[in-house]
Amino acid sequence: MSNANLEDKVAVVTGAAGAIGIATVQKMLERGAKVVAVDQKNVDYSRLLDPEMLDRLVILEADVSDDISVRTYVNNALDAFGGKIDIFFNNAGIEGPVKPLHEVTIEEFRKVLSVNLEGVFLGLKYVLPVMIGQGAGSIINTSSSGGGLMGSPGLGAYCASKHGVIGLTRVAAVESGPSGVRVNCVNPGPIRSPMIDRQDAEQGLSEATRTQTLPARRYGRPEEVAAVVCFLASDEASYVNGTFYTVDGGRHARA
C-alpha cells in the first residue's frame, strides 16, 4: 500500500488539463481516489481518459474566476460521488504577460489576479463549508517557488497573485484547523510544461541556461509535483497544516 493511499476518497482538481493537473489526476486515480477534474472550456482532456478508470472520473467545465461557475462545479462535484469532497487541489492558474511591471496594463494585471487569486479564494469559499461540515478534508493550493516566494522579473502580476495564495492558505488553515480541515500549499519551481516552454521562448532562454542556477540542474517533472500533492492529500499528512512545500530542485534554498 502506498504511503499516500487515497482509496475511496473523493478529490476535486482544478486546472486539471494542465501538465501538473493531468499528472495529479492520474496519480490520484492510481492511488484509489474518485476524481472530479475541472478546467475551462475547449481544453484537451484526452490524456485523462483512461478507459480503465472512467468509472472513477468526472470532467467538469468551469471558469474558476466566476462565482456562479465555482459554486456550480462544487455542487456538481458533490452530486458526482456521494455528496462529499475529501480532497481539493485548488490548482488552476495562468502566468500572464512576461514584461516589466510598468508596461503591464491594469486589464492584464486584473486578469491574472482574477484566475490565480480570486479563483483560489472562490474555491476555498465554496469547498471549505463542505469539509467543515464533514469534519475532515485536505485542501492543497498551488502557489509557486519563483512567483510565490521571491520576485521574478517580468512576472509582476503572477508574483503578486502567487504570494497572495500563500496568505490565503495560512488564513484558511488557522480558521479551519479546529474543524479537522487541513489547508496547505505546494510551490513548484520550473516544471517541464507548456508554461515553462512559453516563458523560455519569450525570455530567450534555454533549459540548459535556466537550470544552471538550480541545484538539481534540471526541470522538474509534473509527476514529482503530483506526488507531493498526493502526500498532502493523504492521511499520512494528518498533522501537516498551514505550510508550503517547495518542489523546485533546491531553487528556493539558494534564494
Side-chain angles (χ1 to χ4, degrees):
M1 180 181 294
S2 166
N3 285 338
N5 176 49
L6 304 177
E7 194 73 30
D8 296 326
K9 292 185 181 292
V10 175
V12 176
V13 177
T14 66
I20 292 173
I22 290 169
T24 304
V25 170
Q26 291 173 338
K27 198 170 289 291
M28 286 181 171
L29 289 169
E30 291 167 2
R31 297 184 181 185
K34 299 172 183 176
V35 180
V36 178
V38 181
D39 213 311
Q40 60 188 331
K41 293 181 179 180
N42 302 318
V43 298
D44 182 9
Y45 292 98
S46 60
R47 290 179 59 192
L48 298 177
L49 302 180
D50 183 338
E52 296 183 2
M53 297 187 180
L54 288 180
D55 61 327
R56 291 192 286 115
L57 174 67
V58 170
I59 292 174
L60 300 176
E61 295 181 340
D63 176 356
V64 300
S65 67
D66 179 76
D67 186 284
I68 294 174
S69 187
V70 174
R71 195 181 341 161
T72 299
Y73 85 63
V74 171
N75 288 335
N76 288 340
L78 287 168
D79 291 339
F81 293 118
K84 67 171 185 170
I85 299 174
D86 301 297
I87 301 161
F88 179 38
F89 185 30
N90 204 3
N91 171 64
I94 58 175
E95 74 268 36
V98 179
K99 56 186 175 182
L101 190 59
H102 65 276
E103 295 180 7
V104 177
T105 67
I106 188 62
E107 291 78 16
E108 292 171 330
F109 189 82
R110 287 172 175 163
K111 175 62 177 177
V112 175
L113 264 65
S114 71
V115 176
N116 293 3
L117 191 55
E118 291 180 19
V120 169
F121 162 73
L122 288 170
L124 292 169
K125 177 177 174 64
Y126 290 110
V127 173
L128 276 172
V130 175
M131 291 185 171
I132 291 170
Q134 295 168 174
S138 176
I139 296 175
I140 304 95
N141 298 322
T142 299
S143 179
S144 166
S145 176
L149 301 173
M150 61 185 79
S152 294
L155 291 170
Y158 182 80
C159 289
S161 67
K162 293 301 186 178
H163 275 69
V165 169
I166 295 176
L168 286 176
T169 298
R170 288 170 169 158
V171 171
V174 172
E175 290 180 349
S176 306
S179 300
V181 179
R182 298 183 294 107
V183 186
N184 292 291
C185 189
V186 64
N187 290 58
I191 303 296
R192 170 55 59 207
S193 66
M195 179 181 288
I196 201 69
D197 290 343
R198 286 194 299 272
Q199 290 180 6
D200 284 351
E202 290 170 356
Q203 297 175 37
L205 298 174
S206 66
E207 179 174 348
T209 299
R210 189 191 288 267
T211 56
Q212 286 178 0
T213 62
L214 296 177
R217 294 295 193 271
R218 65 173 177 86
Y219 286 157
R221 300 186 298 275
E223 56 268 27
E224 292 175 308
V225 181
V228 175
V229 173
C230 287
F231 164 70
L232 292 171
S234 76
D235 294 339
E236 291 294 312
S238 58
Y239 202 55
V240 180
N241 188 33
T243 191
F244 61 84
Y245 275 61
T246 56
V247 190
D248 65 358
R251 178 184 186 181
H252 187 244
R254 301 187 62 173

